[in-house]
Amino acid sequence: MADHGWPGAGLVTAAQHGDVEALTALVYGSYPHVRRFAHSLCATPQDAEDAAQEAVIILYRKIGMLRASGALASWMFRIVRNECLRRTRALLHRAPATDPVPPGTAPGATARSAEEDTLLRLEAERVAAAVAALPADQRQVLVMRDIQGLPGRTVADRLGLSTAAMKSRLHRARSAVREALSEEGNR
């Protein structure tokens, strides 16, 4: 199957001016590129599919907001990156349903302050950004193992890896996140 380039500037301009056929061709022509990028960036294949679909929906709805018709690829990639990052943050913010006490508080203690909530949210965003910056193979292992809480053997099986290869990727991913967070903290 040949790899076709992005739709041309003429098609983008026509779509911006309300040409329904041009808009349809633009969505279909962009989707393979958007999908490929999402799979390289998102933590899971399901998140990648959802992010790619969300990106083409945004393209469909907001094509008129694109300033330069030649900037379609960078605009779409930014949308996909933001969607993948949002999905990673959502995974980090989910608290277990069985934990009635907020993390970091003892039973019977008072609730966290707004300042503590803000600091926790900022820290989660730092972690999410560090995870999103990982290479796809490391990010997948880290998210499946540490965020989704899947057993190591299950992660290895789902990714078609040996347990040793999965552990190696997980170690490299954890080290990279730790290093990114310590570098950011030292700035």
Side-chain angles (χ1 to χ4, degrees):
M1 183 168 111
D3 184 27
H4 300 288
W6 280 88
L11 194 61
V12 173
T13 303
Q16 287 177 314
H17 288 99
D19 184 336
V20 176
E21 288 180 21
L23 183 55
T24 302
L26 189 61
V27 167
Y28 281 105
S30 299
Y31 186 73
H33 303 288
V34 168
R35 186 173 180 268
R36 190 170 33 255
F37 182 66
H39 277 276
S40 73
L41 188 60
C42 287
T44 67
Q46 296 82 9
D47 282 349
E49 290 297 328
D50 290 346
Q53 289 175 11
E54 184 65 26
V56 294
I57 289 169
I58 290 171
L59 168 66
Y60 182 80
R61 290 182 180 162
K62 299 186 177 185
I63 187 64
M65 295 178 68
L66 181 62
R67 291 187 195 122
S69 59
L72 177 66
S74 61
W75 186 55
M76 294 302 294
F77 287 156
R78 193 168 45 253
I79 291 169
V80 171
R81 187 202 63 201
N82 290 342
E83 187 63 21
C84 289
L85 188 57
R86 186 189 68 75
R87 290 175 179 284
T88 302
R89 283 183 187 135
L91 278 175
L92 291 172
H93 286 132
R94 278 189 211 135
T98 59
D99 188 6
V101 179
T105 59
T110 59
R112 289 189 309 250
S113 70
E115 180 182 359
E116 289 171 320
D117 282 344
T118 301
L119 290 173
L120 285 171
R121 200 171 311 114
L122 289 173
E123 183 64 19
E125 287 181 12
R126 286 180 58 225
V127 172
V131 169
L134 290 171
D137 60 336
Q138 292 178 20
R139 185 177 50 255
Q140 284 180 324
V141 170
L142 182 81
V143 168
M144 291 173 80
R145 185 75 177 97
D146 290 349
I147 297 174
Q148 294 176 341
L150 297 175
R153 183 74 244 156
T154 302
V155 173
D157 289 344
R158 285 190 185 172
L159 296 176
L161 301 170
S162 68
T163 302
M166 185 279 303
K167 286 180 179 181
S168 176
R169 286 184 188 180
L170 181 60
H171 175 73
R172 286 193 310 268
R174 287 174 175 166
S175 296
V177 168
R178 196 174 309 122
E179 184 178 323
L181 292 175
S182 89
E183 284 176 5
E184 188 176 304
N186 292 332
R187 286 188 227 169

